[in-house]
Amino acid sequence: MNLKKLMLLMVIGLLVFTGCGKDSTKTEEPAAGETTAQTEEKEELAMPEGQVEVTFWHGMSGRQEETLTEITNEFMEANPNIKVNLQNQGNYGDLSQKLIATMQSPNNLPTITQAYPDWVYPMLNEGLLVSYDKFINSSNAEIAFDNWDDIIPGLRNGVVVEGQIYGIPFNKSTEVLWYNKTMFEELGLEVPTSFEELKEVSQKVYEAKNIPGVGFDSLSNFYVSYLENKDIVFDSSLDVTRPESIEAANYYLDGIKGGYFRIAGTDKYMSGPFSSEQVAMYVGSNAGESYIKDGVGDSFEYAAAPYPAEKSVQQGTDIYMFASASDDQQIAAYTYLKYLTTKDSQIKWALNTGYMPIRTSAVSDPAYKDSDSKIAPVLAEATANLYTKPVSNGSQQAYNDIGTTLEGLLASPENSAEQVLTDYKATFDSTWQ
């Protein structure tokens, strides 16, 4: 692959940053009872003896950056021979652009970076990334990962490409159902656990309160998750005119026509309309709790429930390592990532930022589970069956476009879902080429 084509692929991957983590990577399942790393031969590795400096590019800000800095300082205090330089590159768009520009001079890339899988997929093809398998599976107990199987399975599988682990899960989230508990108790409503129940409860809310029952933060996620729960994968083989695809579009369209569904529209996110009681429920990221808490205040009691279907999407960025780093830098950076992903670090990260802990042991620990977070008590169930959107050339553009197509359909509900998807089919199919 030449550099011009590589740059084009990276620009395509940059086109959307809609919320927390909409990208993921194609996975291969390990054999039952073992991780991919456990199938590899153990490699002899040794901890660096001298001073080592590691550079970490990220796009965190506010409380997220403060917590990352706090955990990093704790690591350096415990490992005085390793200095981790946290370099904020701005927002996600700025970070991705910096990575694209620096790819022309790979030796100027950082040791590790926060990134969505779509950003680094072309880099993998160019041999610029380091597989973590040799570290995770090292025969040196000081280096080997502390119980890789403790990472939530859906997050573990999401960083595997062609049988190799190329990412360490970082600021991760999934979608949950936020609902007005006060209103539910007033109307005697049960929390929906399926798309059909979601429709029924939304209709009851509309009849009683004359407001929509629910809205989805991301129309792209709605569509992909609806199909995923019918075991249909959103990839180049998808026929957007197939019955299940039209069914997904009509499910939402019927709700718009009936008044019991709504879209975020100019509000961009549903947390605003939810907090102002313009809607009784919404489907959005578990990491949005701080916005809900601030918006709702003392107006009513809110709660969270797992996504109203069997499978929910895993979202957010991972941390990738570059091959331009020296052997000592790679081991030092990996040692830092081990610390960042310990149970205690993950509990602190989750409680301070709203992101989910990536370890099962952290999710079930009383320090997290019994906190005042509305997400903590339901997160184990909410992450029991996470799926990962496949990543390939054109996948991100197709994902963006289906959301735009649905938004256009729902903004003009007199249109036919079947006709809109039929008209869109040629564009969808060509995006993957």
Side-chain angles (χ1 to χ4, degrees):
M1 182 186 294
N2 59 38
L3 183 58
K4 185 179 291 185
K5 184 175 181 181
L6 176 63
M7 296 293 286
L8 177 60
L9 290 173
M10 286 297 291
V11 170
I12 290 173
L14 175 60
L15 290 175
V16 67
F17 307 98
T18 54
C20 176
K22 308 284 185 181
D23 309 310
S24 37
T25 189
K26 185 176 181 180
T27 67
E28 287 189 11
E29 294 286 347
E34 63 181 11
T35 67
T36 305
Q38 290 172 329
T39 67
E40 301 293 320
E41 284 190 15
K42 294 183 183 295
E43 182 174 339
E44 292 292 342
L45 297 170
M47 292 292 291
E49 296 181 358
Q51 293 292 318
V52 183
E53 195 164 319
V54 169
T55 301
F56 179 14
W57 285 3
H58 67 88
M60 299 280 91
S61 61
R63 191 67 182 119
Q64 300 164 1
E65 184 175 21
E66 292 172 6
T67 305
L68 178 61
T69 300
E70 184 179 339
I71 295 173
T72 301
N73 287 339
E74 291 172 356
F75 167 79
M76 290 191 293
E77 184 176 348
N79 298 269
N81 66 314
I82 300 176
K83 178 176 176 55
V84 179
N85 294 314
L86 295 176
Q87 296 186 358
N88 188 318
Q89 301 301 321
N91 59 31
Y92 286 161
D94 297 332
L95 173 57
S96 183
Q97 289 176 347
K98 182 71 175 288
L99 288 168
I100 292 171
T102 311
M103 280 176 58
Q104 300 178 63
S105 304
N107 287 334
N108 293 328
L109 287 166
T111 318
I112 51 177
T113 188
Q114 173 191 13
Y116 289 106
D118 298 81
W119 305 358
V120 297
Y121 181 77
M123 298 180 182
L124 176 62
N125 294 333
E126 292 295 307
L128 299 180
L129 298 182
V130 174
S131 165
Y132 286 110
D133 288 71
K134 64 181 179 181
F135 306 113
I136 292 173
N137 203 41
S138 173
S139 58
N140 185 340
E142 192 176 5
I143 292 176
F145 202 87
D146 299 323
N147 193 3
W148 179 251
D149 288 344
D150 188 35
I151 305 299
I152 294 172
L155 306 183
R156 252 192 353 249
N157 296 336
V159 293
V160 177
V161 182
E162 298 176 357
Q164 295 287 306
I165 299 169
Y166 281 96
I168 299 294
F170 181 39
N171 58 316
K172 308 302 288 188
S173 65
T174 188
E175 288 190 317
V176 296
L177 179 70
W178 296 100
Y179 66 98
N180 185 324
K181 186 177 180 182
T182 301
M183 186 184 297
F184 268 56
E185 291 175 349
E186 175 192 343
L187 299 179
L189 300 175
E190 296 291 331
V191 178
T193 60
S194 67
F195 283 118
E196 185 57 36
E197 290 178 3
L198 184 66
K199 173 182 175 180
E200 293 171 357
V201 172
S202 294
Q203 288 173 327
K204 290 177 181 178
V205 169
Y206 181 67
E207 292 168 1
K209 295 290 188 179
N210 198 33
I211 61 171
V214 75
F216 287 73
D217 254 352
S218 168
L219 293 177
S220 296
N221 274 0
F222 157 74
Y223 178 84
V224 174
S225 294
Y226 193 99
L227 295 184
E228 184 71 29
N229 278 282
K230 291 182 175 292
D231 296 321
I232 298 170
V233 179
F234 185 81
D235 61 14
S236 60
S237 67
L238 173 64
D239 179 358
V240 294
T241 64
R242 66 181 295 163
E244 296 88 349
S245 174
I246 296 172
E247 177 185 307
N250 274 325
Y251 173 83
Y252 215 130
L253 181 61
D254 289 346
I256 295 293
K257 289 179 177 179
Y260 54 87
F261 282 3
R262 65 158 289 175
I263 61 175
T266 56
D267 291 305
K268 295 186 179 179
Y269 296 100
M270 289 297 305
S271 55
F274 175 75
S275 298
S276 58
E277 298 186 77
Q278 298 175 42
V279 65
M281 304 173 282
Y282 87 93
V283 174
S285 170
N286 68 269
E289 182 168 7
S290 62
Y291 299 100
I292 298 172
K293 188 174 183 179
D294 291 343
V296 171
D298 297 326
S299 299
F300 60 88
E301 184 179 359
Y302 68 89
Y307 188 84
E310 181 183 358
K311 303 176 187 177
S312 60
V313 65
Q314 69 103 346
Q315 307 178 131
T317 70
D318 308 299
I319 299 178
Y320 298 87
M321 184 183 295
F322 291 107
S324 54
S326 69
D327 290 345
D328 280 354
Q329 286 176 320
Q330 290 182 19
I331 293 175
Y334 172 73
T335 304
Y336 164 65
L337 295 181
K338 281 180 58 180
Y339 187 88
L340 190 62
T341 55
T342 61
K343 183 178 76 170
D344 289 345
S345 293
Q346 282 300 296
I347 290 174
K348 176 181 290 188
W349 174 252
L351 292 178
N352 288 353
T353 67
Y355 289 110
M356 68 168 68
I358 68 168
R359 285 188 177 271
T360 301
S361 60
V363 171
S364 61
D365 192 282
Y368 176 72
K369 192 174 182 179
D370 298 339
S371 67
D372 63 357
S373 167
K374 302 291 187 180
I375 286 295
V378 303
L379 190 58
E381 185 179 355
T383 58
N385 200 0
L386 298 176
Y387 77 86
T388 297
K389 300 189 301 292
V391 171
S392 62
N393 296 337
S395 61
Q396 185 60 58
Q397 186 62 53
Y399 174 85
N400 301 345
D401 288 347
I402 192 62
T404 302
T405 300
L406 286 178
E407 186 170 17
L409 168 66
L410 300 177
S412 302
E414 70 277 3
N415 290 334
S416 159
E418 184 172 5
Q419 187 60 56
V420 167
L421 290 173
T422 298
D423 293 343
Y424 170 58
K425 177 175 169 52
T427 299
F428 179 85
D429 292 344
S430 65
T431 301
W432 305 87
Q433 299 173 2

